[in-house]
């Protein structure tokens, strides 16, 4: 197969210089920000608390609202995304829910991409539908179908590339059209990170991150963020954040801040390793398809300056998927992604989920699709492991 991998200009080191703390002044000139592990902040006098409650002065009150360590991360992510503001959440899923709820009401329609993250799908189907908000799913790679679905929608929900099948959207076209029509546009940018894609520059309104993945980068925390204009983040603050209560803990914010310091370097390595392994899989005779944006040309690829290391591939039906997974020795089996270690998860296992409410059944995910989160290891070690497991799983089939 003749595949063209676009050459991308990487401006990684310019990005890296932004990954520093903004705390001013940094206590004791510490190079790493302190963890303000406190639930509340006290007041010196009645007048002080009265002024703060009356909105006459601004300061920390309670950590479900604002916390200095969390604020550091919010500032950093806003700056990397080119956003006016950002808000931290206890998970990517809390970020998704809190970013959507303020902008929809009964009778509204959401347009979402097919194969969006499974728990975003469940939010649409199990919660929002109950409150009279309908979601229409559109094949996101079909730009005309997306544009046709926008008029009259309240919100469009994107994820480029999508979960498990890695379909790209032309976010520049969709973002522009949504802005013209006054449709709020939201994108899950966890895969590309701001290192490889800045959706706000394509007129997208709100950018979501599962910081549990690449931003945290070490498989040791669950966290989420939303970035956008001050006006929209204020709307989230006033209409969901404080009451849904999915706030980010200071310690988890600190772990993400620590991860962010190496984000550009890790992304570069995830990309290189991912492209190497995807290329080798593409040439393997037991692999029928590689679902990696670089191997599926689409105009929306132009919105990325680089690629994440998460993708999937379809194995030939003669490969027994459980045997393949069991035969891996270095690569481990597990959900999530974005850490240093390479992980695999087969769609077949996700298809075992109770069919009610599962996006995998709904969008017809193939039982032969296997997702690979390529980590930071030596790609030679990864390839030898994949090759021997494909070999063994084909024999036993
Ligand atoms: C994991 C994931 C999420 C959810 O993040 P959590 O922190 O686990 O809630 C959202 N979007 C994508 C694309 C993900 O992979």
């Amino acid at each position: 197969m003749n595949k063209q991998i676009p050459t991308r200009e990487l401006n990684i080191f310019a990005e890296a210089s932004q990954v520093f703390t903004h705390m001013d002044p940094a206590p004791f000139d510490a190079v790493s920000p302190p963890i303000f592990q406190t639930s509340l902040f006290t007041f010196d006098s009645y007048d002080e608390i009265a002024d703060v409650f009356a909105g006459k002065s601004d300061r920390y009150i309670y950590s479900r609202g604002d916390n200095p360590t969390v604020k550091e991360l919010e500032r950093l992510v806003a700056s990397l995304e080119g956003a006016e503001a950002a808000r931290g959440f206890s998970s990517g899923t809390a970020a998704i829910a809190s970013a959507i709820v303020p902008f929809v009401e009964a009778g509204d329609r959401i347009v979402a991409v097919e194969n969006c993250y499974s728990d975003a799908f469940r939010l649409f189907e199990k919660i929002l539908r109950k409150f009279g908000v309908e979601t229409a799913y559109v094949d996101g790679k079909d730009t005309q179908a997306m544009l046709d679905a926008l008029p009259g929608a309240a919100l469009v929900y994107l994820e480029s590339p999508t979960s498990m099948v890695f379909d790209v959207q032309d976010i520049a076209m969709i973002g522009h059209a949504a802005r013209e029509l006054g449709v709020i546009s939201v994108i899950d940018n966890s895969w590309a990170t701001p290192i490889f894609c800045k959706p706000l520059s394509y007129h997208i309104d709100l950018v979501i991150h599962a910081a549990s993945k690449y931003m945290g980068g070490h498989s040791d925390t669950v966290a989420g963020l939303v970035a956008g204009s001050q006006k929209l983040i204020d709307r989230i603050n006033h209409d969901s954040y404080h009451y849904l209560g999915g706030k980010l803990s200071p310690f988890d914010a600190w772990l993400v801040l620590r991860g962010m310091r190496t984000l550009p370097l890790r992304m570069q390595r995830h990309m290189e390793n991912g492209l190497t392994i995807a290329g080798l899989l593409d040439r393997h005779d037991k692999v029928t398809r590689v679902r990696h944006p670089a191997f599926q040309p689409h105009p929306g690829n132009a919105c990325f300056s680089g690629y994440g290391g998460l993708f999937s591939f379809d194995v030939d039906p003669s490969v027994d998927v459980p045997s393949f997974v069991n035969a891996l020795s270095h690569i481990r089996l597990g959900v999530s992604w974005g850490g240093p270690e390479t992980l695999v998860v087969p769609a077949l296992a996700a298809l075992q989920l109770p069919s009610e409410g599962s996006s995998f059944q709904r969008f017809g995910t193939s039982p032969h699709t296997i997702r690979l989160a390529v980590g930071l290891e030596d790609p030679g070690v990864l390839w030898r492991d994949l090759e021997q497991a494909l070999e063994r799983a084909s024999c036993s089939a």
Side-chain angles (χ1 to χ4, degrees), residues 87 97 245 249 269 322 377 392:
R87 188 42 113 173
S249 81
R269 176 76 174 195
E377 306 97 317
R392 280 168 63 184

Side-chain angles (χ1 to χ4, degrees), residues 45-315:
S45 65
Y46 174 81
D47 286 349
E48 198 184 354
I49 197 172
D51 279 357
V52 171
F53 282 14
K56 288 188 207 149
S57 77
D58 189 23
R59 50 155 286 177
Y60 295 106
I61 303 169
Y62 184 51
S63 285
R64 177 157 50 79
D66 286 310
N67 172 280
T69 311
V70 177
K71 185 139 284 240
E72 270 301 277
L73 175 63
E74 293 169 344
R75 282 207 189 103
L76 176 59
V77 171
S79 126
L80 285 173
E81 284 289 3
E84 288 170 1
R87 188 42 113 173
F89 290 91
S90 54
S91 67
T93 304
I96 294 169
S98 299
I100 290 176
V101 163
F103 302 102
V104 292
E105 59 186 49
D108 278 349
R109 179 167 52 89
I110 293 174
V111 173
V113 287
E114 289 176 353
N115 298 293
C116 58
Y117 181 66
S118 55
D119 284 330
F121 174 78
R122 288 192 188 94
L123 168 76
F124 300 138
E125 294 305 308
K126 293 198 169 248
I127 300 181
L128 296 180
R129 192 172 292 284
K130 202 163 75 177
F131 293 105
V133 178
E134 294 284 319
T135 301
Y137 301 92
V138 178
D139 177 355
K141 57 186 184 306
D142 184 343
T143 306
Q144 194 55 51
M146 288 296 292
L147 298 182
D148 290 346
L150 290 181
L155 185 145
V156 58
Y157 186 83
L158 308 172
E159 185 188 328
S160 187
T162 53
S163 289
M164 199 52 100
V165 297
F166 301 90
D167 286 340
V168 165
Q169 297 111 61
D170 191 336
I171 64 172
M173 292 281 281
I174 299 166
H176 179 75
R179 179 69 53 90
E180 299 265 286
L181 292 163
V183 178
I184 295 280
S185 54
V186 180
I187 192 167
D188 182 329
N189 195 33
S190 309
W191 182 89
T193 79
I195 303 303
F196 291 148
C197 182
K198 295 186 195 295
L200 267 60
S201 67
Y202 302 111
H203 308 294
I204 299 292
D205 291 315
L206 289 168
V207 178
I208 289 169
H209 285 285
S212 326
K213 313 294 169 56
Y214 283 141
M215 282 190 169
H218 293 75
S219 312
D220 53 10
T221 180
V222 173
L225 283 119
V226 179
S229 67
Q230 189 65 56
K231 189 168 151 235
L232 294 183
I233 298 297
D234 281 349
R235 187 75 193 275
I236 292 168
N237 283 334
H238 296 144
D239 293 357
S240 67
Y241 173 78
H242 289 281
Y243 326 116
L244 290 182
K247 68 104 189 150
L248 180 56
S249 81
F251 182 59
D252 289 304
W254 185 88
L255 284 171
V256 178
L257 276 168
R258 187 182 58 163
M260 294 289 282
R261 291 175 156 212
T262 54
L263 181 66
L265 294 170
R266 288 187 289 106
M267 290 312 292
Q268 186 172 28
R269 176 76 174 195
H270 282 299
M271 172 171 70
E272 289 165 2
N273 275 1
L275 288 170
T276 301
I277 299 296
L280 289 163
L281 285 168
D282 192 49
R283 291 193 287 277
H284 196 284
D285 61 0
K286 291 290 174 190
V287 173
T288 58
R289 181 168 176 184
V290 171
R291 299 172 182 270
H292 182 303
F295 290 75
Q296 312 187 109
H298 189 277
N301 282 359
C303 300
F304 302 125
S305 62
Y307 297 113
L310 179 80
F311 64 95
S312 64
F313 58 98
D314 293 3
V315 289

